[in-house]
CSV table of all heavy atoms in Angstrom, one decimal:
chain,number,residue,atom,x,y,z
A,247,HIS,N,147.9,65.4,-18.9
A,247,HIS,CA,146.6,64.8,-19.1
A,247,HIS,C,146.7,63.4,-19.8
A,247,HIS,O,146.1,62.4,-19.4
A,247,HIS,CB,145.6,65.7,-19.9
A,247,HIS,CG,144.5,65.0,-20.5
A,247,HIS,ND1,143.3,64.7,-19.8
A,247,HIS,CD2,144.3,64.6,-21.8
A,247,HIS,CE1,142.5,64.1,-20.6
A,247,HIS,NE2,143.0,64.1,-21.8
A,248,MET,N,147.5,63.4,-20.9
A,248,MET,CA,147.6,62.1,-21.6
A,248,MET,C,148.3,61.0,-20.8
A,248,MET,O,147.9,59.9,-20.8
A,248,MET,CB,148.5,62.3,-22.9
A,248,MET,CG,147.7,62.9,-24.1
A,248,MET,SD,146.3,61.9,-24.6
A,248,MET,CE,147.0,60.3,-24.9
A,249,ALA,N,149.3,61.4,-20.0
A,249,ALA,CA,150.0,60.5,-19.2
A,249,ALA,C,149.0,59.9,-18.2
A,249,ALA,O,149.0,58.6,-18.0
A,249,ALA,CB,151.2,61.1,-18.4
A,250,ALA,N,148.2,60.7,-17.5
A,250,ALA,CA,147.2,60.2,-16.6
A,250,ALA,C,146.2,59.3,-17.2
A,250,ALA,O,145.8,58.3,-16.7
A,250,ALA,CB,146.5,61.4,-15.8
A,251,GLN,N,145.7,59.8,-18.4
A,251,GLN,CA,144.7,59.0,-19.2
A,251,GLN,C,145.3,57.6,-19.6
A,251,GLN,O,144.6,56.6,-19.5
A,251,GLN,CB,144.3,59.8,-20.4
A,251,GLN,CG,143.3,59.0,-21.3
A,251,GLN,CD,143.0,59.9,-22.5
A,251,GLN,OE1,142.6,61.1,-22.4
A,251,GLN,NE2,143.1,59.3,-23.7
A,252,ARG,N,146.5,57.6,-20.0
A,252,ARG,CA,147.2,56.3,-20.3
A,252,ARG,C,147.3,55.4,-19.1
A,252,ARG,O,147.0,54.2,-19.2
A,252,ARG,CB,148.5,56.6,-21.0
A,252,ARG,CG,148.4,57.1,-22.4
A,252,ARG,CD,149.8,57.5,-22.9
A,252,ARG,NE,149.7,57.8,-24.3
A,252,ARG,CZ,150.7,58.1,-25.1
A,252,ARG,NH1,151.9,58.2,-24.5
A,252,ARG,NH2,150.6,58.4,-26.3
A,253,ARG,N,147.8,55.9,-18.0
A,253,ARG,CA,147.9,55.1,-16.8
A,253,ARG,C,146.5,54.5,-16.4
A,253,ARG,O,146.4,53.3,-16.1
A,253,ARG,CB,148.4,55.9,-15.6
A,253,ARG,CG,149.9,56.1,-15.7
A,253,ARG,CD,150.5,56.7,-14.4
A,253,ARG,NE,149.9,58.0,-14.0
A,253,ARG,CZ,150.4,59.1,-14.5
A,253,ARG,NH1,151.4,59.2,-15.3
A,253,ARG,NH2,149.8,60.3,-14.2
A,254,ALA,N,145.5,55.3,-16.4
A,254,ALA,CA,144.1,54.8,-16.1
A,254,ALA,C,143.7,53.8,-17.1
A,254,ALA,O,143.1,52.7,-16.7
A,254,ALA,CB,143.2,56.0,-16.0
A,255,GLY,N,143.9,54.0,-18.4
A,255,GLY,CA,143.5,53.1,-19.4
A,255,GLY,C,144.2,51.7,-19.3
A,255,GLY,O,143.6,50.7,-19.4
A,256,PHE,N,145.5,51.7,-19.0
A,256,PHE,CA,146.2,50.5,-18.9
A,256,PHE,C,145.8,49.8,-17.6
A,256,PHE,O,145.7,48.5,-17.6
A,256,PHE,CB,147.7,50.7,-19.0
A,256,PHE,CG,148.2,50.8,-20.4
A,256,PHE,CD1,148.7,52.0,-20.9
A,256,PHE,CD2,148.1,49.7,-21.2
A,256,PHE,CE1,149.1,52.1,-22.2
A,256,PHE,CE2,148.6,49.8,-22.6
A,256,PHE,CZ,149.1,51.0,-23.0
A,257,ARG,N,145.6,50.5,-16.5
A,257,ARG,CA,145.1,49.9,-15.3
A,257,ARG,C,143.8,49.2,-15.5
A,257,ARG,O,143.6,48.0,-15.1
A,257,ARG,CB,144.9,51.0,-14.2
A,257,ARG,CG,146.0,51.0,-13.2
A,257,ARG,CD,145.6,51.8,-11.9
A,257,ARG,NE,145.2,53.1,-12.2
A,257,ARG,CZ,146.0,54.2,-12.3
A,257,ARG,NH1,147.3,54.0,-12.3
A,257,ARG,NH2,145.6,55.4,-12.5
A,258,GLN,N,142.9,49.8,-16.3
A,258,GLN,CA,141.6,49.2,-16.6
A,258,GLN,C,141.7,47.9,-17.4
A,258,GLN,O,141.0,47.0,-17.2
A,258,GLN,CB,140.7,50.2,-17.4
A,258,GLN,CG,139.3,49.8,-17.5
A,258,GLN,CD,138.6,49.7,-16.1
A,258,GLN,OE1,138.9,50.5,-15.2
A,258,GLN,NE2,137.7,48.8,-16.0
A,259,LEU,N,142.8,47.8,-18.3
A,259,LEU,CA,143.0,46.6,-19.1
A,259,LEU,C,143.2,45.4,-18.2
A,259,LEU,O,142.9,44.3,-18.5
A,259,LEU,CB,144.2,46.8,-20.0
A,259,LEU,CG,144.0,47.4,-21.3
A,259,LEU,CD1,145.3,47.5,-22.1
A,259,LEU,CD2,143.0,46.7,-22.2
A,260,PHE,N,143.8,45.7,-17.0
A,260,PHE,CA,144.3,44.6,-16.2
A,260,PHE,C,143.3,44.3,-15.0
A,260,PHE,O,143.6,43.5,-14.1
A,260,PHE,CB,145.7,44.8,-15.7
A,260,PHE,CG,146.7,44.8,-16.8
A,260,PHE,CD1,147.3,45.9,-17.3
A,260,PHE,CD2,147.0,43.6,-17.4
A,260,PHE,CE1,148.2,45.9,-18.3
A,260,PHE,CE2,147.9,43.5,-18.5
A,260,PHE,CZ,148.5,44.7,-18.9
A,261,VAL,N,142.2,45.1,-14.9
A,261,VAL,CA,141.3,44.9,-13.8
A,261,VAL,C,140.7,43.4,-13.9
A,261,VAL,O,140.4,42.9,-14.9
A,261,VAL,CB,140.1,45.9,-13.9
A,261,VAL,CG1,138.9,45.5,-13.0
A,261,VAL,CG2,140.5,47.3,-13.6
A,262,GLY,N,140.8,42.8,-12.7
A,262,GLY,CA,140.3,41.4,-12.6
A,262,GLY,C,141.3,40.3,-13.0
A,262,GLY,O,141.0,39.1,-12.8
A,263,LEU,N,142.4,40.7,-13.5
A,263,LEU,CA,143.5,39.7,-13.8
A,263,LEU,C,144.3,39.4,-12.6
A,263,LEU,O,144.7,40.3,-11.9
A,263,LEU,CB,144.4,40.4,-14.9
A,263,LEU,CG,145.4,39.4,-15.5
A,263,LEU,CD1,144.7,38.4,-16.4
A,263,LEU,CD2,146.3,40.2,-16.4
A,264,PRO,N,144.3,38.1,-12.2
A,264,PRO,CA,145.1,37.7,-11.0
A,264,PRO,C,146.5,38.2,-11.1
A,264,PRO,O,147.1,38.3,-12.2
A,264,PRO,CB,145.0,36.2,-11.0
A,264,PRO,CG,143.8,35.8,-11.9
A,264,PRO,CD,143.7,36.9,-12.9
A,265,GLU,N,147.1,38.4,-9.9
A,265,GLU,CA,148.5,39.0,-9.8
A,265,GLU,C,149.5,38.1,-10.6
A,265,GLU,O,150.3,38.7,-11.3
A,265,GLU,CB,148.8,39.0,-8.3
A,265,GLU,CG,150.3,39.4,-8.0
A,265,GLU,CD,150.4,41.0,-8.0
A,265,GLU,OE1,149.4,41.6,-7.8
A,265,GLU,OE2,151.5,41.4,-8.2
A,266,THR,N,149.4,36.8,-10.5
A,266,THR,CA,150.4,36.0,-11.2
A,266,THR,C,150.3,36.2,-12.7
A,266,THR,O,151.3,36.3,-13.4
A,266,THR,CB,150.3,34.5,-10.9
A,266,THR,OG1,149.0,34.1,-11.0
A,266,THR,CG2,150.8,34.3,-9.4
A,267,GLN,N,149.1,36.2,-13.2
A,267,GLN,CA,148.9,36.4,-14.7
A,267,GLN,C,149.3,37.8,-15.1
A,267,GLN,O,149.8,38.0,-16.2
A,267,GLN,CB,147.4,36.2,-15.1
A,267,GLN,CG,147.1,34.7,-15.0
A,267,GLN,CD,145.6,34.5,-15.5
A,267,GLN,OE1,144.8,35.3,-15.2
A,267,GLN,NE2,145.4,33.3,-16.1
A,268,CYS,N,149.0,38.8,-14.2
A,268,CYS,CA,149.5,40.2,-14.5
A,268,CYS,C,151.0,40.2,-14.7
A,268,CYS,O,151.5,40.8,-15.6
A,268,CYS,CB,149.0,41.1,-13.4
A,268,CYS,SG,149.1,42.8,-13.8
A,269,ARG,N,151.7,39.6,-13.8
A,269,ARG,CA,153.2,39.5,-13.9
A,269,ARG,C,153.6,38.8,-15.2
A,269,ARG,O,154.6,39.3,-15.8
A,269,ARG,CB,153.8,38.8,-12.7
A,269,ARG,CG,153.9,39.8,-11.5
A,269,ARG,CD,154.7,39.2,-10.3
A,269,ARG,NE,153.8,39.0,-9.3
A,269,ARG,CZ,153.5,37.9,-8.7
A,269,ARG,NH1,154.2,36.8,-8.9
A,269,ARG,NH2,152.6,37.8,-7.7
A,270,GLN,N,152.9,37.8,-15.6
A,270,GLN,CA,153.2,37.1,-16.8
A,270,GLN,C,153.0,38.0,-18.0
A,270,GLN,O,153.8,38.0,-19.0
A,270,GLN,CB,152.4,35.8,-17.0
A,270,GLN,CG,152.8,34.7,-16.0
A,270,GLN,CD,151.8,33.6,-16.1
A,270,GLN,OE1,150.6,33.7,-16.4
A,270,GLN,NE2,152.3,32.4,-15.7
A,271,VAL,N,151.9,38.8,-18.0
A,271,VAL,CA,151.7,39.7,-19.1
A,271,VAL,C,152.8,40.8,-19.2
A,271,VAL,O,153.3,41.1,-20.2
A,271,VAL,CB,150.3,40.4,-18.9
A,271,VAL,CG1,150.1,41.5,-19.9
A,271,VAL,CG2,149.2,39.4,-19.1
A,272,VAL,N,153.1,41.3,-18.0
A,272,VAL,CA,154.2,42.3,-18.0
A,272,VAL,C,155.5,41.8,-18.5
A,272,VAL,O,156.2,42.4,-19.3
A,272,VAL,CB,154.3,42.9,-16.6
A,272,VAL,CG1,155.6,43.8,-16.5
A,272,VAL,CG2,153.1,43.7,-16.2
A,273,SER,N,155.8,40.5,-18.1
A,273,SER,CA,157.1,39.9,-18.6
A,273,SER,C,157.0,39.7,-20.1
A,273,SER,O,158.0,39.9,-20.8
A,273,SER,CB,157.2,38.5,-17.9
A,273,SER,OG,158.4,37.9,-18.4
A,274,ALA,N,155.9,39.3,-20.6
A,274,ALA,CA,155.7,39.1,-22.1
A,274,ALA,C,155.9,40.4,-22.8
A,274,ALA,O,156.5,40.5,-23.9
A,274,ALA,CB,154.4,38.4,-22.4
A,275,LEU,N,155.3,41.4,-22.3
A,275,LEU,CA,155.4,42.7,-22.9
A,275,LEU,C,156.8,43.2,-22.9
A,275,LEU,O,157.3,43.8,-23.8
A,275,LEU,CB,154.5,43.8,-22.2
A,275,LEU,CG,153.0,43.5,-22.5
A,275,LEU,CD1,152.1,44.5,-21.6
A,275,LEU,CD2,152.6,43.7,-24.0
A,276,ASP,N,157.5,43.0,-21.8
A,276,ASP,CA,159.0,43.4,-21.7
A,276,ASP,C,159.8,42.7,-22.8
A,276,ASP,O,160.6,43.2,-23.4
A,276,ASP,CB,159.5,43.0,-20.3
A,276,ASP,CG,159.1,44.0,-19.2
A,276,ASP,OD1,158.7,45.1,-19.6
A,276,ASP,OD2,159.3,43.6,-18.1
A,277,THR,N,159.5,41.4,-23.0
A,277,THR,CA,160.2,40.6,-24.0
A,277,THR,C,159.9,41.1,-25.4
A,277,THR,O,160.7,41.3,-26.2
A,277,THR,CB,159.7,39.1,-23.9
A,277,THR,OG1,160.1,38.6,-22.6
A,277,THR,CG2,160.4,38.3,-25.0
A,278,LEU,N,158.6,41.5,-25.6
A,278,LEU,CA,158.2,42.0,-26.9
A,278,LEU,C,158.9,43.4,-27.2
A,278,LEU,O,159.4,43.6,-28.3
A,278,LEU,CB,156.7,42.2,-27.0
A,278,LEU,CG,156.1,42.8,-28.2
A,278,LEU,CD1,156.4,42.0,-29.4
A,278,LEU,CD2,154.6,43.0,-28.1
A,279,VAL,N,158.9,44.2,-26.2
A,279,VAL,CA,159.6,45.5,-26.3
A,279,VAL,C,161.1,45.3,-26.6
A,279,VAL,O,161.6,46.0,-27.5
A,279,VAL,CB,159.4,46.4,-25.1
A,279,VAL,CG1,160.3,47.6,-25.1
A,279,VAL,CG2,157.9,46.9,-25.0
A,280,ASP,N,161.7,44.4,-25.9
A,280,ASP,CA,163.1,44.1,-26.2
A,280,ASP,C,163.3,43.7,-27.6
A,280,ASP,O,164.3,44.1,-28.3
A,280,ASP,CB,163.7,43.1,-25.2
A,280,ASP,CG,163.8,43.6,-23.8
A,280,ASP,OD1,163.8,44.8,-23.6
A,280,ASP,OD2,163.9,42.7,-22.9
A,281,TYR,N,162.5,42.8,-28.1
A,281,TYR,CA,162.6,42.4,-29.5
A,281,TYR,C,162.4,43.5,-30.5
A,281,TYR,O,163.2,43.7,-31.4
A,281,TYR,CB,161.6,41.2,-29.8
A,281,TYR,CG,161.6,40.8,-31.2
A,281,TYR,CD1,162.7,40.0,-31.7
A,281,TYR,CD2,160.7,41.2,-32.1
A,281,TYR,CE1,162.8,39.7,-33.0
A,281,TYR,CE2,160.8,40.9,-33.5
A,281,TYR,CZ,161.8,40.1,-33.9
A,281,TYR,OH,161.9,39.8,-35.2
A,282,LEU,N,161.4,44.3,-30.3
A,282,LEU,CA,161.1,45.4,-31.2
A,282,LEU,C,162.2,46.5,-31.2
A,282,LEU,O,162.6,47.0,-32.2
A,282,LEU,CB,159.8,46.1,-30.9
A,282,LEU,CG,158.5,45.2,-31.1
A,282,LEU,CD1,157.3,45.8,-30.6
A,282,LEU,CD2,158.4,44.7,-32.6
A,283,GLU,N,162.8,46.7,-30.0
A,283,GLU,CA,164.0,47.6,-29.9
A,283,GLU,C,165.2,47.0,-30.7
A,283,GLU,O,165.9,47.7,-31.4
A,283,GLU,CB,164.4,47.9,-28.5
A,283,GLU,CG,163.4,48.8,-27.8
A,283,GLU,CD,163.7,49.0,-26.3
A,283,GLU,OE1,164.5,48.2,-25.7
A,283,GLU,OE2,163.2,50.0,-25.7
A,284,TYR,N,165.4,45.7,-30.6
A,284,TYR,CA,166.4,45.0,-31.3
A,284,TYR,C,166.2,45.2,-32.8
A,284,TYR,O,167.1,45.5,-33.6
A,284,TYR,CB,166.5,43.5,-31.0
A,284,TYR,CG,167.4,42.8,-31.9
A,284,TYR,CD1,168.8,42.8,-31.7
A,284,TYR,CD2,166.9,42.1,-33.0
A,284,TYR,CE1,169.6,42.1,-32.6
A,284,TYR,CE2,167.7,41.4,-33.9
A,284,TYR,CZ,169.1,41.4,-33.7
A,284,TYR,OH,169.9,40.8,-34.6
A,285,VAL,N,165.0,44.9,-33.3
A,285,VAL,CA,164.7,45.0,-34.7
A,285,VAL,C,164.9,46.5,-35.2
A,285,VAL,O,165.5,46.7,-36.3
A,285,VAL,CB,163.2,44.6,-35.0
A,285,VAL,CG1,162.8,44.9,-36.4
A,285,VAL,CG2,163.1,43.1,-34.7
A,286,GLU,N,164.5,47.4,-34.4
A,286,GLU,CA,164.6,48.9,-34.8
A,286,GLU,C,166.1,49.2,-34.9
A,286,GLU,O,166.5,49.9,-35.8
A,286,GLU,CB,164.0,49.7,-33.7
A,286,GLU,CG,164.0,51.2,-34.1
A,286,GLU,CD,163.3,52.1,-33.1
A,286,GLU,OE1,162.3,51.6,-32.5
A,286,GLU,OE2,163.7,53.2,-32.8
A,287,VAL,N,166.9,48.8,-33.9
A,287,VAL,CA,168.4,49.2,-33.9
A,287,VAL,C,169.1,48.4,-35.1
A,287,VAL,O,170.0,49.0,-35.7
A,287,VAL,CB,169.0,48.8,-32.6
A,287,VAL,CG1,170.5,48.9,-32.6
A,287,VAL,CG2,168.4,49.7,-31.5
A,288,SER,N,168.7,47.2,-35.3
A,288,SER,CA,169.5,46.4,-36.4
A,288,SER,C,169.0,46.7,-37.8
A,288,SER,O,169.7,46.3,-38.7
A,288,SER,CB,169.3,44.9,-36.1
A,288,SER,OG,168.0,44.5,-36.2
Side-chain angles (χ1 to χ4, degrees):
H247 159 79
M248 278 304 301
Q251 180 179 306
R252 286 176 170 180
R253 280 191 300 275
F256 279 113
R257 257 194 305 279
Q258 193 61 35
L259 274 179
F260 296 105
V261 166
L263 192 64
E265 177 83 20
T266 53
Q267 287 181 328
C268 192
R269 276 189 251 124
Q270 289 172 333
V271 169
V272 170
S273 176
L275 290 172
D276 284 342
T277 301
L278 178 60
V279 167
D280 288 343
Y281 176 75
L282 294 174
E283 285 175 345
Y284 169 82
V285 170
E286 182 177 328
V287 169
S288 64

